[in-house]
Amino acid sequence: DTGVSQDPRHKITKRGQNVTFRCDPISEHNRLYWYRQTLGQGPEFLTYFQNEAQLEKSRLLSDRFSAERPKGSFSTLEIQRTEQGDSAMYLCASSLGAGESYNEQFFGPGTRLTVL
Amino acid sequence: AQSVSQHNHHVILSEAASLELGCNYSYGGTVNLFWYVQYPGQHLQLLLKYFSGDPLVKGIKGFEAEFIKSKFSFNLRKPSVQWSDTAEYFCAVIKGKLIFGQGTTLQVKP
């Protein structure tokens, strides 16, 4: 399977714990996006990378959230001191793009986070 | 605030009925528009997209959408739905990142 993969698929944690999610994009894609989706809502943008550079972060991304893409390939999203409000599906997507050119984003299966 | 609005949150149809899902956006200038679908237990996948050219766009599985610039709309249509079209449908605008509407759940009864 050469699509976007995410790990883990499900994560249950206690409030206050740290969690880290991984996304492996489609190999030739230079852009990688993180979104968050809660029940009954569309996905909301969190942050995106072009190669290893983090180009944009949403105001939704509090100081407890950090994302990296160290070698321009896979990315990690870490949430520190989790809160119950962080419970959501975390989606990763990747695409090819340059400058103002935007192509289709391919989505992974998501990581479902439950904070107890 | 700039946004994407989907008017129908939950639609129930019988097989062979026609479908139209509304989508309006509030962004000015050039817009690139998408419809994504999420089948039960599967991840988001692209149905169709509009970047420029013919405002009537055809996508996969018999879906089409019409971009009407004067109405800031990009409604999704299908002449005859099937049970397998049961899914959640999301309209989105791309402004660097994708900005999604809240989604419409379509339930098709056999």
Side-chain angles (χ1 to χ4, degrees), chain A residues 37 40-43, chain B residues 4 6 21 23 34-38 44-45 47 76 88-92 100-104:
Chain A
Q37 186 177 17
Q41 299 296 319
Chain B
V4 177
Q6 292 181 242
L21 300 182
C23 172
F34 301 78
W35 276 96
Y36 277 83
V37 61
Q38 189 166 26
L44 279 164
Q45 56 187 280
L47 263 183
L76 182 71
E88 196 155 12
Y89 293 81
F90 294 95
C91 180
F100 288 86
Q102 60 268 63
T104 298

PDB file of all heavy atoms in Angstrom, chain A residues 37 40-43, chain B residues 4 6 21 23 34-38 44-45 47 76 88-92 100-104:
ATOM      1  N   GLN A  37     -10.334  16.319  13.528  1.00  0.00           N
ATOM      2  CA  GLN A  37     -11.770  16.201  13.254  1.00  0.00           C
ATOM      3  C   GLN A  37     -12.490  15.705  14.487  1.00  0.00           C
ATOM      4  O   GLN A  37     -12.145  14.667  15.050  1.00  0.00           O
ATOM      5  CB  GLN A  37     -12.013  15.238  12.085  1.00  0.00           C
ATOM      6  CG  GLN A  37     -13.449  15.162  11.640  1.00  0.00           C
ATOM      7  CD  GLN A  37     -13.643  14.255  10.446  1.00  0.00           C
ATOM      8  OE1 GLN A  37     -12.792  13.430  10.119  1.00  0.00           O
ATOM      9  NE2 GLN A  37     -14.764  14.405   9.762  1.00  0.00           N
ATOM     10  N   GLY A  40     -19.153  15.066  14.052  1.00  0.00           N
ATOM     11  CA  GLY A  40     -20.144  15.954  13.452  1.00  0.00           C
ATOM     12  C   GLY A  40     -19.572  17.199  12.818  1.00  0.00           C
ATOM     13  O   GLY A  40     -20.323  18.092  12.409  1.00  0.00           O
ATOM     14  N   GLN A  41     -18.256  17.274  12.716  1.00  0.00           N
ATOM     15  CA  GLN A  41     -17.607  18.441  12.121  1.00  0.00           C
ATOM     16  C   GLN A  41     -16.688  18.026  10.990  1.00  0.00           C
ATOM     17  O   GLN A  41     -16.240  16.887  10.924  1.00  0.00           O
ATOM     18  CB  GLN A  41     -16.782  19.182  13.182  1.00  0.00           C
ATOM     19  CG  GLN A  41     -17.591  19.705  14.350  1.00  0.00           C
ATOM     20  CD  GLN A  41     -18.591  20.759  13.931  1.00  0.00           C
ATOM     21  OE1 GLN A  41     -18.299  21.626  13.119  1.00  0.00           O
ATOM     22  NE2 GLN A  41     -19.799  20.691  14.482  1.00  0.00           N
ATOM     23  N   GLY A  42     -16.392  18.973  10.123  1.00  0.00           N
ATOM     24  CA  GLY A  42     -15.381  18.709   9.118  1.00  0.00           C
ATOM     25  C   GLY A  42     -13.989  18.837   9.714  1.00  0.00           C
ATOM     26  O   GLY A  42     -13.815  19.437  10.779  1.00  0.00           O
ATOM     27  N   PRO A  43     -12.995  18.288   9.047  1.00  0.00           N
ATOM     28  CA  PRO A  43     -11.623  18.418   9.542  1.00  0.00           C
ATOM     29  C   PRO A  43     -11.209  19.883   9.646  1.00  0.00           C
ATOM     30  O   PRO A  43     -11.581  20.704   8.817  1.00  0.00           O
ATOM     31  CB  PRO A  43     -10.796  17.696   8.467  1.00  0.00           C
ATOM     32  CG  PRO A  43     -11.757  16.768   7.800  1.00  0.00           C
ATOM     33  CD  PRO A  43     -13.068  17.475   7.820  1.00  0.00           C
TER      34      PRO A  43
ATOM     35  N   VAL B   4     -16.818  27.895   4.898  1.00  0.00           N
ATOM     36  CA  VAL B   4     -17.487  27.008   3.950  1.00  0.00           C
ATOM     37  C   VAL B   4     -18.716  26.463   4.666  1.00  0.00           C
ATOM     38  O   VAL B   4     -18.596  25.951   5.792  1.00  0.00           O
ATOM     39  CB  VAL B   4     -16.566  25.857   3.522  1.00  0.00           C
ATOM     40  CG1 VAL B   4     -17.303  24.910   2.586  1.00  0.00           C
ATOM     41  CG2 VAL B   4     -15.301  26.397   2.866  1.00  0.00           C
ATOM     42  N   GLN B   6     -22.185  24.027   4.573  1.00  0.00           N
ATOM     43  CA  GLN B   6     -22.988  22.972   3.957  1.00  0.00           C
ATOM     44  C   GLN B   6     -24.348  22.992   4.652  1.00  0.00           C
ATOM     45  O   GLN B   6     -24.437  22.860   5.869  1.00  0.00           O
ATOM     46  CB  GLN B   6     -22.314  21.606   4.135  1.00  0.00           C
ATOM     47  CG  GLN B   6     -21.039  21.493   3.334  1.00  0.00           C
ATOM     48  CD  GLN B   6     -20.370  20.140   3.485  1.00  0.00           C
ATOM     49  OE1 GLN B   6     -19.255  20.045   3.964  1.00  0.00           O
ATOM     50  NE2 GLN B   6     -21.064  19.091   3.065  1.00  0.00           N
ATOM     51  N   LEU B  21     -26.477  18.238  -2.838  1.00  0.00           N
ATOM     52  CA  LEU B  21     -25.972  18.722  -1.557  1.00  0.00           C
ATOM     53  C   LEU B  21     -25.426  20.130  -1.763  1.00  0.00           C
ATOM     54  O   LEU B  21     -24.594  20.350  -2.641  1.00  0.00           O
ATOM     55  CB  LEU B  21     -24.868  17.807  -1.025  1.00  0.00           C
ATOM     56  CG  LEU B  21     -25.245  16.347  -0.765  1.00  0.00           C
ATOM     57  CD1 LEU B  21     -24.061  15.581  -0.190  1.00  0.00           C
ATOM     58  CD2 LEU B  21     -26.443  16.235   0.150  1.00  0.00           C
ATOM     59  N   CYS B  23     -23.405  23.634  -1.031  1.00  0.00           N
ATOM     60  CA  CYS B  23     -22.144  24.122  -0.466  1.00  0.00           C
ATOM     61  C   CYS B  23     -21.990  25.576  -0.882  1.00  0.00           C
ATOM     62  O   CYS B  23     -22.048  25.887  -2.073  1.00  0.00           O
ATOM     63  CB  CYS B  23     -20.963  23.307  -0.980  1.00  0.00           C
ATOM     64  SG  CYS B  23     -19.347  23.980  -0.505  1.00  0.00           S
ATOM     65  N   PHE B  34     -13.330  21.625  -3.707  1.00  0.00           N
ATOM     66  CA  PHE B  34     -13.259  20.170  -3.656  1.00  0.00           C
ATOM     67  C   PHE B  34     -14.515  19.606  -2.992  1.00  0.00           C
ATOM     68  O   PHE B  34     -15.134  20.252  -2.141  1.00  0.00           O
ATOM     69  CB  PHE B  34     -12.062  19.707  -2.810  1.00  0.00           C
ATOM     70  CG  PHE B  34     -10.722  20.184  -3.295  1.00  0.00           C
ATOM     71  CD1 PHE B  34     -10.296  21.468  -3.044  1.00  0.00           C
ATOM     72  CD2 PHE B  34      -9.890  19.332  -3.991  1.00  0.00           C
ATOM     73  CE1 PHE B  34      -9.057  21.916  -3.483  1.00  0.00           C
ATOM     74  CE2 PHE B  34      -8.645  19.752  -4.432  1.00  0.00           C
ATOM     75  CZ  PHE B  34      -8.222  21.042  -4.175  1.00  0.00           C
ATOM     76  N   TRP B  35     -14.857  18.400  -3.366  1.00  0.00           N
ATOM     77  CA  TRP B  35     -15.755  17.568  -2.591  1.00  0.00           C
ATOM     78  C   TRP B  35     -14.993  16.294  -2.233  1.00  0.00           C
ATOM     79  O   TRP B  35     -14.436  15.625  -3.110  1.00  0.00           O
ATOM     80  CB  TRP B  35     -17.020  17.195  -3.355  1.00  0.00           C
ATOM     81  CG  TRP B  35     -18.089  18.241  -3.295  1.00  0.00           C
ATOM     82  CD1 TRP B  35     -18.354  19.220  -4.210  1.00  0.00           C
ATOM     83  CD2 TRP B  35     -19.066  18.399  -2.260  1.00  0.00           C
ATOM     84  NE1 TRP B  35     -19.418  19.979  -3.792  1.00  0.00           N
ATOM     85  CE2 TRP B  35     -19.883  19.502  -2.609  1.00  0.00           C
ATOM     86  CE3 TRP B  35     -19.341  17.709  -1.065  1.00  0.00           C
ATOM     87  CZ2 TRP B  35     -20.951  19.937  -1.812  1.00  0.00           C
ATOM     88  CZ3 TRP B  35     -20.404  18.140  -0.275  1.00  0.00           C
ATOM     89  CH2 TRP B  35     -21.193  19.239  -0.650  1.00  0.00           C
ATOM     90  N   TYR B  36     -14.968  16.013  -0.927  1.00  0.00           N
ATOM     91  CA  TYR B  36     -14.387  14.774  -0.423  1.00  0.00           C
ATOM     92  C   TYR B  36     -15.512  13.907   0.133  1.00  0.00           C
ATOM     93  O   TYR B  36     -16.534  14.410   0.606  1.00  0.00           O
ATOM     94  CB  TYR B  36     -13.375  15.054   0.693  1.00  0.00           C
ATOM     95  CG  TYR B  36     -11.995  15.430   0.218  1.00  0.00           C
ATOM     96  CD1 TYR B  36     -11.694  16.728  -0.146  1.00  0.00           C
ATOM     97  CD2 TYR B  36     -10.985  14.473   0.152  1.00  0.00           C
ATOM     98  CE1 TYR B  36     -10.408  17.069  -0.565  1.00  0.00           C
ATOM     99  CE2 TYR B  36      -9.699  14.796  -0.261  1.00  0.00           C
ATOM    100  CZ  TYR B  36      -9.422  16.099  -0.620  1.00  0.00           C
ATOM    101  OH  TYR B  36      -8.148  16.421  -1.039  1.00  0.00           O
ATOM    102  N   VAL B  37     -15.289  12.594   0.127  1.00  0.00           N
ATOM    103  CA  VAL B  37     -16.256  11.653   0.675  1.00  0.00           C
ATOM    104  C   VAL B  37     -15.559  10.737   1.673  1.00  0.00           C
ATOM    105  O   VAL B  37     -14.376  10.406   1.496  1.00  0.00           O
ATOM    106  CB  VAL B  37     -16.932  10.821  -0.442  1.00  0.00           C
ATOM    107  CG1 VAL B  37     -15.921   9.985  -1.214  1.00  0.00           C
ATOM    108  CG2 VAL B  37     -18.029   9.931   0.131  1.00  0.00           C
ATOM    109  N   GLN B  38     -16.290  10.372   2.710  1.00  0.00           N
ATOM    110  CA  GLN B  38     -15.755   9.430   3.696  1.00  0.00           C
ATOM    111  C   GLN B  38     -16.779   8.312   3.879  1.00  0.00           C
ATOM    112  O   GLN B  38     -17.836   8.524   4.490  1.00  0.00           O
ATOM    113  CB  GLN B  38     -15.481  10.132   5.022  1.00  0.00           C
ATOM    114  CG  GLN B  38     -14.725   9.274   6.020  1.00  0.00           C
ATOM    115  CD  GLN B  38     -14.186  10.103   7.172  1.00  0.00           C
ATOM    116  OE1 GLN B  38     -14.721  11.154   7.517  1.00  0.00           O
ATOM    117  NE2 GLN B  38     -13.098   9.637   7.765  1.00  0.00           N
ATOM    118  N   LEU B  44     -10.912   9.728   4.162  1.00  0.00           N
ATOM    119  CA  LEU B  44     -11.367  10.739   3.212  1.00  0.00           C
ATOM    120  C   LEU B  44     -10.752  10.492   1.844  1.00  0.00           C
ATOM    121  O   LEU B  44      -9.556  10.248   1.716  1.00  0.00           O
ATOM    122  CB  LEU B  44     -10.936  12.126   3.686  1.00  0.00           C
ATOM    123  CG  LEU B  44     -11.788  12.797   4.743  1.00  0.00           C
ATOM    124  CD1 LEU B  44     -11.028  13.946   5.373  1.00  0.00           C
ATOM    125  CD2 LEU B  44     -13.088  13.291   4.146  1.00  0.00           C
ATOM    126  N   GLN B  45     -11.595  10.588   0.815  1.00  0.00           N
ATOM    127  CA  GLN B  45     -11.058  10.487  -0.536  1.00  0.00           C
ATOM    128  C   GLN B  45     -11.736  11.523  -1.426  1.00  0.00           C
ATOM    129  O   GLN B  45     -12.865  11.935  -1.181  1.00  0.00           O
ATOM    130  CB  GLN B  45     -11.227   9.075  -1.102  1.00  0.00           C
ATOM    131  CG  GLN B  45     -12.635   8.544  -1.112  1.00  0.00           C
ATOM    132  CD  GLN B  45     -12.664   7.080  -1.543  1.00  0.00           C
ATOM    133  OE1 GLN B  45     -12.595   6.773  -2.722  1.00  0.00           O
ATOM    134  NE2 GLN B  45     -12.782   6.189  -0.579  1.00  0.00           N
ATOM    135  N   LEU B  47     -13.707  13.210  -4.327  1.00  0.00           N
ATOM    136  CA  LEU B  47     -14.772  12.919  -5.294  1.00  0.00           C
ATOM    137  C   LEU B  47     -14.548  13.693  -6.586  1.00  0.00           C
ATOM    138  O   LEU B  47     -14.665  13.151  -7.677  1.00  0.00           O
ATOM    139  CB  LEU B  47     -16.129  13.347  -4.733  1.00  0.00           C
ATOM    140  CG  LEU B  47     -17.028  12.332  -4.074  1.00  0.00           C
ATOM    141  CD1 LEU B  47     -18.344  13.008  -3.687  1.00  0.00           C
ATOM    142  CD2 LEU B  47     -17.285  11.132  -4.970  1.00  0.00           C
ATOM    143  N   LEU B  76     -23.094  19.704  -5.032  1.00  0.00           N
ATOM    144  CA  LEU B  76     -22.805  18.346  -5.499  1.00  0.00           C
ATOM    145  C   LEU B  76     -24.093  17.676  -5.935  1.00  0.00           C
ATOM    146  O   LEU B  76     -25.112  17.787  -5.244  1.00  0.00           O
ATOM    147  CB  LEU B  76     -22.171  17.528  -4.362  1.00  0.00           C
ATOM    148  CG  LEU B  76     -21.771  16.087  -4.690  1.00  0.00           C
ATOM    149  CD1 LEU B  76     -20.560  16.067  -5.612  1.00  0.00           C
ATOM    150  CD2 LEU B  76     -21.462  15.324  -3.398  1.00  0.00           C
ATOM    151  N   GLU B  88     -20.303  10.193   4.419  1.00  0.00           N
ATOM    152  CA  GLU B  88     -20.283  11.593   4.808  1.00  0.00           C
ATOM    153  C   GLU B  88     -19.555  12.379   3.717  1.00  0.00           C
ATOM    154  O   GLU B  88     -18.504  11.955   3.218  1.00  0.00           O
ATOM    155  CB  GLU B  88     -19.569  11.773   6.155  1.00  0.00           C
ATOM    156  CG  GLU B  88     -19.847  13.115   6.789  1.00  0.00           C
ATOM    157  CD  GLU B  88     -19.689  13.118   8.289  1.00  0.00           C
ATOM    158  OE1 GLU B  88     -19.138  12.141   8.846  1.00  0.00           O
ATOM    159  OE2 GLU B  88     -20.117  14.110   8.918  1.00  0.00           O
ATOM    160  N   TYR B  89     -20.135  13.491   3.338  1.00  0.00           N
ATOM    161  CA  TYR B  89     -19.624  14.289   2.228  1.00  0.00           C
ATOM    162  C   TYR B  89     -19.175  15.657   2.731  1.00  0.00           C
ATOM    163  O   TYR B  89     -19.902  16.329   3.466  1.00  0.00           O
ATOM    164  CB  TYR B  89     -20.713  14.454   1.154  1.00  0.00           C
ATOM    165  CG  TYR B  89     -21.046  13.148   0.479  1.00  0.00           C
ATOM    166  CD1 TYR B  89     -21.917  12.236   1.079  1.00  0.00           C
ATOM    167  CD2 TYR B  89     -20.473  12.803  -0.738  1.00  0.00           C
ATOM    168  CE1 TYR B  89     -22.193  11.015   0.482  1.00  0.00           C
ATOM    169  CE2 TYR B  89     -20.755  11.590  -1.348  1.00  0.00           C
ATOM    170  CZ  TYR B  89     -21.612  10.705  -0.723  1.00  0.00           C
ATOM    171  OH  TYR B  89     -21.884   9.493  -1.315  1.00  0.00           O
ATOM    172  N   PHE B  90     -17.972  16.059   2.305  1.00  0.00           N
ATOM    173  CA  PHE B  90     -17.410  17.320   2.763  1.00  0.00           C
ATOM    174  C   PHE B  90     -17.041  18.190   1.564  1.00  0.00           C
ATOM    175  O   PHE B  90     -16.335  17.754   0.651  1.00  0.00           O
ATOM    176  CB  PHE B  90     -16.132  17.084   3.581  1.00  0.00           C
ATOM    177  CG  PHE B  90     -16.360  16.357   4.870  1.00  0.00           C
ATOM    178  CD1 PHE B  90     -16.209  14.982   4.945  1.00  0.00           C
ATOM    179  CD2 PHE B  90     -16.731  17.042   6.023  1.00  0.00           C
ATOM    180  CE1 PHE B  90     -16.420  14.306   6.132  1.00  0.00           C
ATOM    181  CE2 PHE B  90     -16.940  16.370   7.222  1.00  0.00           C
ATOM    182  CZ  PHE B  90     -16.781  15.007   7.271  1.00  0.00           C
ATOM    183  N   CYS B  91     -17.494  19.429   1.612  1.00  0.00           N
ATOM    184  CA  CYS B  91     -17.086  20.437   0.654  1.00  0.00           C
ATOM    185  C   CYS B  91     -15.884  21.174   1.244  1.00  0.00           C
ATOM    186  O   CYS B  91     -15.798  21.345   2.468  1.00  0.00           O
ATOM    187  CB  CYS B  91     -18.256  21.400   0.438  1.00  0.00           C
ATOM    188  SG  CYS B  91     -17.939  22.723  -0.720  1.00  0.00           S
ATOM    189  N   ALA B  92     -14.955  21.596   0.408  1.00  0.00           N
ATOM    190  CA  ALA B  92     -13.774  22.283   0.928  1.00  0.00           C
ATOM    191  C   ALA B  92     -13.242  23.278  -0.079  1.00  0.00           C
ATOM    192  O   ALA B  92     -13.366  23.105  -1.298  1.00  0.00           O
ATOM    193  CB  ALA B  92     -12.674  21.275   1.291  1.00  0.00           C
ATOM    194  N   PHE B 100     -12.722  23.023   5.367  1.00  0.00           N
ATOM    195  CA  PHE B 100     -13.859  22.153   5.142  1.00  0.00           C
ATOM    196  C   PHE B 100     -15.153  22.745   5.685  1.00  0.00           C
ATOM    197  O   PHE B 100     -15.153  23.474   6.680  1.00  0.00           O
ATOM    198  CB  PHE B 100     -13.650  20.809   5.846  1.00  0.00           C
ATOM    199  CG  PHE B 100     -12.615  19.918   5.212  1.00  0.00           C
ATOM    200  CD1 PHE B 100     -11.276  20.038   5.542  1.00  0.00           C
ATOM    201  CD2 PHE B 100     -12.989  18.952   4.292  1.00  0.00           C
ATOM    202  CE1 PHE B 100     -10.313  19.199   4.961  1.00  0.00           C
ATOM    203  CE2 PHE B 100     -12.052  18.111   3.716  1.00  0.00           C
ATOM    204  CZ  PHE B 100     -10.711  18.247   4.047  1.00  0.00           C
ATOM    205  N   GLY B 101     -16.258  22.370   5.056  1.00  0.00           N
ATOM    206  CA  GLY B 101     -17.561  22.565   5.659  1.00  0.00           C
ATOM    207  C   GLY B 101     -17.767  21.528   6.746  1.00  0.00           C
ATOM    208  O   GLY B 101     -16.931  20.648   6.959  1.00  0.00           O
ATOM    209  N   GLN B 102     -18.912  21.608   7.405  1.00  0.00           N
ATOM    210  CA  GLN B 102     -19.148  20.721   8.541  1.00  0.00           C
ATOM    211  C   GLN B 102     -19.584  19.326   8.142  1.00  0.00           C
ATOM    212  O   GLN B 102     -19.673  18.431   8.974  1.00  0.00           O
ATOM    213  CB  GLN B 102     -20.166  21.342   9.513  1.00  0.00           C
ATOM    214  CG  GLN B 102     -21.521  21.631   8.909  1.00  0.00           C
ATOM    215  CD  GLN B 102     -21.600  23.048   8.356  1.00  0.00           C
ATOM    216  OE1 GLN B 102     -20.880  23.425   7.434  1.00  0.00           O
ATOM    217  NE2 GLN B 102     -22.495  23.834   8.909  1.00  0.00           N
ATOM    218  N   GLY B 103     -19.841  19.136   6.855  1.00  0.00           N
ATOM    219  CA  GLY B 103     -20.155  17.798   6.384  1.00  0.00           C
ATOM    220  C   GLY B 103     -21.639  17.530   6.302  1.00  0.00           C
ATOM    221  O   GLY B 103     -22.446  18.111   7.037  1.00  0.00           O
ATOM    222  N   THR B 104     -22.010  16.634   5.382  1.00  0.00           N
ATOM    223  CA  THR B 104     -23.387  16.156   5.248  1.00  0.00           C
ATOM    224  C   THR B 104     -23.362  14.642   5.292  1.00  0.00           C
ATOM    225  O   THR B 104     -22.625  14.016   4.531  1.00  0.00           O
ATOM    226  CB  THR B 104     -24.012  16.597   3.914  1.00  0.00           C
ATOM    227  OG1 THR B 104     -24.069  18.013   3.869  1.00  0.00           O
ATOM    228  CG2 THR B 104     -25.415  16.019   3.765  1.00  0.00           C
TER     229      THR B 104
END
